[in-house]
Amino acid sequence: MRDLLAGASMLLRRLQGSPAGTLFPLLSLALGISGFLVLVGMADHELSYDRWVPARERIFRFETTISPAGAPPVRTVSVSARAGAMLASHLDGLEATARILPRTVPLTIGSRHLTLDTALTEPGFLRMFPLRPVAGNVAEALSRPDRIAVSRSTAEKLFGSTDVVGQAAQLADGRAVAVAGVFEDLPRNSHMRLEAVASLRESTFADLASLEKDWLDLGGYFYVKVKQPTRPEVLSNQATQLLLSEAPMLKSGGITATIAAFPLKELHVRHSPAGALPIGGFKPLLEASRVVVLVIVAIFLACLSAFNYAFHLATWVTRRAREIALRQFLGANPSSIYRLFLGEALLSIGMALAIALLMVALTHGWWARFSEGEPSFPDVAASRHAPLVYLGLFGLSALVALFPYLLARRVRPAETLRNRAAANSIRGRLVGFVMTVQIALAAALMVGAVSVAKQVALLNAAPLGFDAGEILISRSIPPGTSPSKIDTLLRELARSDAVSSAAIAQDEVGVGLVRAQANVEAPSLPHEMLMNYMAAGPGWFDLMRINAVAGRLLEDREADQLRRPAVANPSPAPLASVVLNESAARSVGYSTPQKAVGTTLTATLDVGWRQPFIIVGVVRDIAHASLREGPKPYFYFDQRDQENILYVRATRAGAEAVPVVEGRLRAAFPAEPPAVVRLTHDISVHYEDEIRLRTVLIAGTLCVLAISLAGVAALARAVLAYRTREVAIRKVFGASPRDILSLVAWQFSWPIVIGYAIGAAVSWFLVVKWLNGFTLRDPPGALEFTAVLVVVVAACALVSSVFVGRLLRLRPATVLHVE
């Protein structure tokens, strides 16, 4: 213990004698630890989802994969209400089951019109997810048709307090519901977002009887709790076999369906979430590799900063060589010397950890946004695994103390006490190697940040194929609204001075919310092909300023309107008008758009619904979704019961037209709160992940560059230590400052050059791989690589100049006199 305290006191004395030289490496160590804590905390938070659920290892959610004949499989995290009822009654060994249907419920409370994201479910839900009651009886809401239970935050939002049991609200159809209970908000690390729960079995909020007629109405979830631990593969096989036996009509209709069970702990982090998109109210799936990358980068940051600090301690061995020699002369053994450095390293890690926790707390508002569940400061600083993390950090101090200890063992007491410098040559090769790795990482991150920034700028400036200008979008038209009511709304909007034109469509272009696909047959095609489609009302193309390159556009005429048949009808359906984009015309087999006009095609729009079309026009390709997707074949038709996204082109600034559009929507649909946004805003938000990646790379660059500059400082100290006598002798023989600079330049140039070369090559490979997903790409060029090199060299030169300047200013007589 005495040796540990002596080592700690050495650090305190050095802080007094050289505060700047000691604090800089200490701050770089703190920076590395803060990055380590944040990344490990975020990874731990992602893995902690649903730990609040008791016996979560026995709870499973079922998901469905559907493979129509001739079409790619479609994965969904949902199960139809009918399939859920069948599984609940036929699966063996179940303790509880629950179906969940997410619904947006319009409510009227006093004069306020609101919507509530409500989970319609069954009493078994509470046996799996015991919601903590705040007031009233939550279970009553799942057994009575006129009751609803709300979360604490929802109660405060709706009524201003949690004392709301018995408070009434009115549904859109005039029926009244009362609040039966209030439950605590779910933790942030829960895959669910629950504002309210209500009964699924009653007809107040949904027509369950109608839903249970369709095996493929995939709008809800199905959970089970088994009595004994069970492997998910067993449940998956049983569920798929039951579906095949209970719904043979699917297979006879050319549809292959499978059901898979996933443990609750895998509902957020999964090894292969691609294609399995969540439906309303639940958090999206996360790729497990993202968590692995977080942990690897965290460990890398901690190790780099620890190595830097170890080299910093090693440079002080030269100055303490006489002290170490004297301790050895007085009988200190190797373990005593090691404890001396260990005490200093332990105090260093402790001080750096305190500074790092302060950094983490101060920057919480920034880094929390980069995790799905938005972890808080306690999630990082006091998480479940935080004690192990802190023990690991202090275990790292044992390695930090090892390098200076190995150098100190080279000290020979007799030679050192006779002022001979045999033990003073601390080589910078290992320091240079680690500095090379740091420069490589900093350069790679910097090139990545520049590349992502260029790509984001390109995406924002890319031509979309339509004029987004002053277009406003609203998704506030309720599904099932009659075409006559929509036509009335469009006419009223067009009469306003703030609106140039208005139209409706099925999807929001540039964002791609709806991915509707159909099997298409044409006389020019050898076999049917899968093609995207979108319903677009008359006037939509004009509003978007999309002109026909051949033929005409859809018009407000009877022959241009497609109507879904009320029942399956074997008789041929009448021809309807359709417009193709240029990619679709080429895919169907026409060399020019003009040749496609007047020909026919047949599309299978739904199970049992085959619709013949006549191609009346061809338009240019437009960006339906992100620019990660190239131009896709699309066909457009006018189907009023599929179009519920409102498009409005404003005659003046969009902000001035928003209140006008909102007022019209509020008058037409009083139970639906109007939500109007600019199309350009939604498109920019569509690239939020790219913008977030750019920000993360910039932050990572600054963090790693700061740590690598500490490595430069350590290397510079090492050069100063073992080049001092050589430089003094060279000066005696007439060496100029330029000669001295040339002598030491190699010590710094090779880590920078090699590190930059490695970083540039790695970043080029990763950036090109990342850009391959985009139709428009702007990879980094010579200018970007040169700029990054200049920044790296300038930063390293600035840090090392302080130490190199000492070599240029040293006096040979003083150095050689000491020798």
Side-chain angles (χ1 to χ4, degrees), residues 61 63-65 74-77 262 266-278 283-291:
R61 187 178 73 190
E63 304 179 4
T64 308
T65 300
V74 177
R75 287 181 57 197
T76 172
V77 297
F262 288 90
E266 294 184 11
L267 294 191
H268 179 61
V269 177
R270 193 173 296 177
H271 292 294
S272 180
L277 301 177
K283 294 179 183 176
L285 302 173
L286 185 73
E287 182 71 59
S289 60
R290 176 175 161 183
V291 178

Side-chain angles (χ1 to χ4, degrees), residues 274-478:
L277 301 177
I279 52 180
F282 286 26
K283 294 179 183 176
L285 302 173
L286 185 73
E287 182 71 59
S289 60
R290 176 175 161 183
V291 178
V292 174
V293 169
L294 286 177
V295 175
I296 292 175
V297 175
I299 295 174
F300 199 61
L301 274 178
C303 290
L304 285 180
S305 57
F307 280 141
N308 272 346
Y309 199 76
F311 300 142
H312 165 73
L313 293 183
T315 59
W316 288 91
V317 174
T318 298
R319 302 187 182 187
R320 296 204 299 263
R322 291 180 60 84
E323 177 187 348
I324 294 169
L326 186 59
R327 286 177 177 270
Q328 290 178 339
F329 186 78
L330 295 176
N333 55 33
S335 62
S336 176
I337 300 298
Y338 176 72
R339 287 194 297 270
L340 191 71
F341 288 107
L342 181 59
E344 185 170 355
L346 284 171
L347 181 58
S348 301
I349 295 286
M351 294 174 65
L353 178 59
I355 298 172
L357 288 173
L358 180 61
M359 291 180 178
V360 171
L362 293 177
T363 58
H364 165 258
W366 181 83
W367 56 258
R369 295 184 290 112
F370 295 98
S371 183
E372 183 60 39
E374 295 188 357
S376 64
F377 175 72
D379 290 322
V380 169
S383 65
R384 181 178 181 182
H385 297 113
L388 294 176
V389 171
Y390 296 142
L391 286 175
L393 285 175
F394 283 101
L396 195 62
S397 63
L399 295 176
V400 170
L402 186 60
F403 183 60
Y405 162 71
L406 294 176
L407 292 173
R409 290 196 63 181
R410 298 176 58 191
V411 173
R412 300 294 180 262
E415 296 176 357
T416 303
L417 294 177
R418 287 200 304 265
N419 288 331
R420 296 185 61 180
N424 293 352
S425 58
I426 302 175
R427 299 295 175 182
R429 293 176 183 173
L430 190 55
V431 183
F433 170 76
V434 176
M435 182 184 136
T436 301
V437 176
Q438 295 168 339
I439 293 295
L441 184 58
L445 288 173
M446 201 177 302
V447 172
V450 172
S451 303
V452 174
K454 286 184 64 179
Q455 185 66 14
V456 170
L458 175 68
L459 295 177
N460 288 330
L464 300 171
F466 55 85
D467 180 10
E470 297 298 334
I471 292 182
L472 305 177
I473 294 289
S474 176
R475 294 187 286 274
S476 300
I477 298 178

Side-chain angles (χ1 to χ4, degrees), residues 369-696:
R369 295 184 290 112
F370 295 98
S371 183
E372 183 60 39
E374 295 188 357
S376 64
F377 175 72
D379 290 322
V380 169
S383 65
R384 181 178 181 182
H385 297 113
L388 294 176
V389 171
Y390 296 142
L391 286 175
L393 285 175
F394 283 101
L396 195 62
S397 63
L399 295 176
V400 170
L402 186 60
F403 183 60
Y405 162 71
L406 294 176
L407 292 173
R409 290 196 63 181
R410 298 176 58 191
V411 173
R412 300 294 180 262
E415 296 176 357
T416 303
L417 294 177
R418 287 200 304 265
N419 288 331
R420 296 185 61 180
N424 293 352
S425 58
I426 302 175
R427 299 295 175 182
R429 293 176 183 173
L430 190 55
V431 183
F433 170 76
V434 176
M435 182 184 136
T436 301
V437 176
Q438 295 168 339
I439 293 295
L441 184 58
L445 288 173
M446 201 177 302
V447 172
V450 172
S451 303
V452 174
K454 286 184 64 179
Q455 185 66 14
V456 170
L458 175 68
L459 295 177
N460 288 330
L464 300 171
F466 55 85
D467 180 10
E470 297 298 334
I471 292 182
L472 305 177
I473 294 289
S474 176
R475 294 187 286 274
S476 300
I477 298 178
T481 302
S482 66
S484 60
K485 189 170 185 177
I486 293 178
D487 288 340
T488 301
L489 172 66
L490 297 180
R491 286 194 298 270
E492 290 177 350
L493 285 170
R495 285 197 292 265
S496 170
D497 294 336
V499 174
S500 170
S501 56
I504 54 172
Q506 180 183 8
D507 196 9
E508 184 175 344
V509 293
V511 177
L513 298 175
V514 179
R515 300 298 175 89
Q517 295 183 317
N519 286 318
V520 172
E521 302 173 63
S524 55
L525 283 175
H527 51 78
E528 67 179 13
M529 65 172 292
L530 196 65
M531 188 179 295
N532 299 298
Y533 69 84
M534 187 181 91
W540 182 82
F541 290 101
D542 289 334
L543 183 146
M544 302 299 293
R545 295 176 182 169
I546 301 172
N547 300 320
V549 297
R552 66 174 177 86
L553 301 175
L554 298 174
E555 299 172 358
D556 191 9
R557 61 173 74 175
E558 187 74 17
D560 279 3
Q561 294 180 12
L562 177 64
R563 292 178 173 83
R564 178 186 290 270
V567 295
N569 190 349
S571 61
L575 281 174
S577 299
V578 68
V579 169
L580 275 61
N581 68 358
E582 291 179 297
S583 292
R586 287 192 299 269
S587 299
V588 174
Y590 299 105
S591 57
T592 64
Q594 290 75 15
K595 292 182 179 179
V597 177
T599 62
T600 61
L601 60 83
T602 302
T604 304
L605 299 175
D606 204 345
V607 177
W609 181 16
R610 288 169 53 82
Q611 174 65 49
F613 289 98
I614 182 169
I615 302 172
V616 298
V618 179
V619 297
R620 64 177 181 268
D621 294 341
I622 65 173
H624 275 268
S626 143
L627 290 176
R628 281 189 173 278
E629 302 179 9
K632 291 182 178 294
Y634 259 89
F635 64 95
Y636 309 86
F637 50 80
D638 178 8
Q639 186 185 3
R640 301 300 175 85
D641 59 355
Q642 288 291 320
E643 304 159 10
N644 59 1
I645 295 182
L646 174 67
Y647 285 75
V648 172
R649 182 172 289 279
T651 57
R652 48 180 183 260
E656 299 180 19
V658 167
V660 176
V661 179
E662 286 182 342
R664 297 290 184 184
L665 286 170
R666 191 177 293 109
F669 311 106
E672 189 76 19
V676 180
V677 296
R678 297 190 62 159
L679 178 58
T680 51
H681 170 267
D682 275 8
I683 292 174
S684 65
V685 170
H686 202 51
Y687 302 111
E688 198 172 48
D689 286 344
E690 282 75 24
I691 296 172
R692 180 179 297 180
L693 178 61
R694 177 190 62 187
T695 307
V696 169

